[in-house]
Amino acid sequence: MALADSASGLSNGGDADSPFPEIIELNVGGQVYLTRHKTLIAVPDSLLWQMFNQKTPKELSRDSKGRYFLDRDGFLFRYILDYLRDLNLVLPDYFPEKCRLKREADFFQLQDLSKRLSPKVSKENSISEEISQSDPEEVGFLGGAGGSTASLEPTRFVSTMTSTHARSQSLESRKSGYITVGYRGSYTIGRDAQADAKFRRVARITVCGKTSLAKEVFGDTLNESRDPDRPPERYTSRYYLKFNFLEQAFEKLSEAGFRMVACSSTGTCAYASSDPSEDKIWTSYTEYVFCRD
């Protein structure tokens, strides 16, 4: 009969010499995963192999429910786990997180996966990029030992003109569209009405609109966990923000060239006691529509 492991797994039907159960429960950045022990140790000398092959369960961090805890990106870990299952990398057609996934692969010491995620650059492009990212002194050195400071001026001028042109092109290429920001809040009103009003607890700020626009405006502050593989030209209503300040969302929209064009709000009394001394709890849902022409 398999012994149950209530702390971290479902059963201990795996390797008899291993202190870990066959099925292991992980908490990665708040996302819960269930996987087999042999999957985690599929790549020798990787970080997960070291954790679940070289250490004991007591040496590993756990959350309040006994799950093994990893303080990493919970959304991207799904691709790490998929790779460990058959050592094959399969990503969605529209996947803008390759750089961040490579960073996770480096952290987990998965060298082959990291190489697959590295950008393929030709030798010519690699050389030109190294020159363009160098300091002026390095450019002068590459130009020859007899290079002078005056010879660097045309390079600086061309670089300035190129960056200015790129900024103007980026402003012109900004797509028009709409983004709707919504939130569900609550507040209480006591016996003295406005004198005892307690505002405004915002539970979550939602974002609706085209995927590419939402990512452009909110960047890393956008939580995509409920709709992770949405193509950039499709629309979604399942994104929400990682912060709870409406003014911060408004500032980001304003900086991206959006302006508010409409607003609607509804409110209802969620709780009212017959006792007049108790506060009334009201809930509201509000949406703000922003537009960029």
Side-chain angles (χ1 to χ4, degrees):
M1 180 178 178
L3 298 177
D5 189 334
S6 60
S8 61
L10 302 181
S11 67
N12 198 12
D15 188 354
D17 296 331
S18 173
F20 294 96
E22 179 186 9
I23 306 299
I24 291 181
E25 193 171 11
L26 303 172
N27 177 350
V28 185
Q31 299 288 331
V32 177
Y33 290 91
L34 286 174
T35 187
R36 294 185 179 275
H37 176 254
K38 65 179 183 180
T39 301
L40 296 175
I41 61 173
V43 179
D45 297 324
S46 66
L47 179 63
L48 291 171
W49 180 87
Q50 296 173 26
M51 291 175 59
F52 293 95
N53 192 54
Q54 301 296 305
K55 295 184 178 182
T56 64
K58 293 183 179 180
E59 296 179 83
L60 302 180
S61 300
R62 303 198 188 203
D63 65 8
S64 59
K65 295 186 178 180
R67 295 177 289 228
Y68 295 108
F69 179 74
L70 294 168
D71 190 15
R72 301 301 297 180
D73 191 311
F75 163 66
L76 292 177
F77 188 75
R78 60 185 293 193
Y79 300 106
I80 299 291
L81 203 56
D82 283 344
Y83 171 77
L84 292 174
R85 290 186 176 112
D86 54 12
L87 302 183
N88 188 28
L89 176 62
V90 179
L91 297 176
D93 293 335
Y94 301 95
F95 188 74
E97 307 289 351
K98 282 189 177 181
C99 290
R100 294 177 60 188
L101 182 56
K102 182 182 182 303
R103 184 178 64 183
E104 296 300 303
D106 292 336
F107 174 82
F108 287 108
Q109 301 174 23
L110 300 170
Q111 297 180 1
D112 183 65
L113 177 59
S114 179
K115 289 179 181 178
R116 297 188 191 186
L117 292 168
S118 298
K120 297 179 180 179
V121 182
S122 64
K123 185 176 181 181
E124 292 78 7
N125 289 340
S126 177
I127 293 175
S128 63
E129 285 180 0
E130 289 175 1
I131 294 176
S132 64
Q133 293 175 0
S134 301
D135 293 333
E137 290 79 3
E138 295 176 347
V139 176
F141 175 78
L142 291 172
S148 62
T149 306
S151 64
L152 298 176
E153 294 303 325
T155 304
R156 294 173 181 165
F157 177 74
V158 172
S159 176
T160 303
M161 291 295 292
T162 303
S163 61
T164 303
H165 179 64
R167 284 196 297 269
S168 62
Q169 278 189 328
S170 63
L171 291 174
E172 293 175 358
S173 61
R174 292 196 309 184
K175 295 182 179 180
S176 60
Y178 291 84
I179 290 180
T180 300
V181 175
Y183 79 91
R184 191 181 305 278
S186 66
Y187 55 93
T188 60
I189 297 181
R191 289 174 296 171
D192 297 332
Q194 295 298 327
D196 290 338
K198 301 174 183 177
F199 300 97
R200 174 192 62 196
R201 187 171 64 85
V202 179
R204 177 177 290 177
I205 300 176
T206 60
V207 177
C208 307
K210 187 175 289 188
T211 302
S212 58
L213 288 179
K215 291 182 178 180
E216 174 197 339
V217 174
F218 297 106
D220 292 338
T221 63
L222 190 68
N223 193 319
E224 308 168 37
S225 60
R226 296 196 303 171
D227 200 0
D229 300 327
R230 177 71 62 175
E233 296 305 316
R234 299 289 296 275
Y235 290 82
T236 181
S237 60
R238 298 177 62 81
Y239 288 167
Y240 61 93
L241 300 179
K242 297 178 181 179
F243 54 82
N244 293 330
F245 299 99
L246 279 171
E247 294 75 13
Q248 187 176 351
F250 295 165
E251 287 176 357
K252 287 185 174 293
L253 286 159
S254 177
E255 291 171 358
F258 283 82
R259 57 186 177 85
M260 189 187 300
V261 294
C263 173
S264 66
S265 181
T266 60
T268 181
C269 183
Y271 172 78
S273 173
S274 57
D275 186 352
S277 63
E278 291 191 14
D279 295 343
K280 292 182 179 180
I281 301 176
W282 291 76
T283 61
S284 64
Y285 181 74
T286 306
E287 287 186 338
Y288 304 90
V289 182
F290 288 80
C291 172
R292 185 170 69 187
D293 298 325

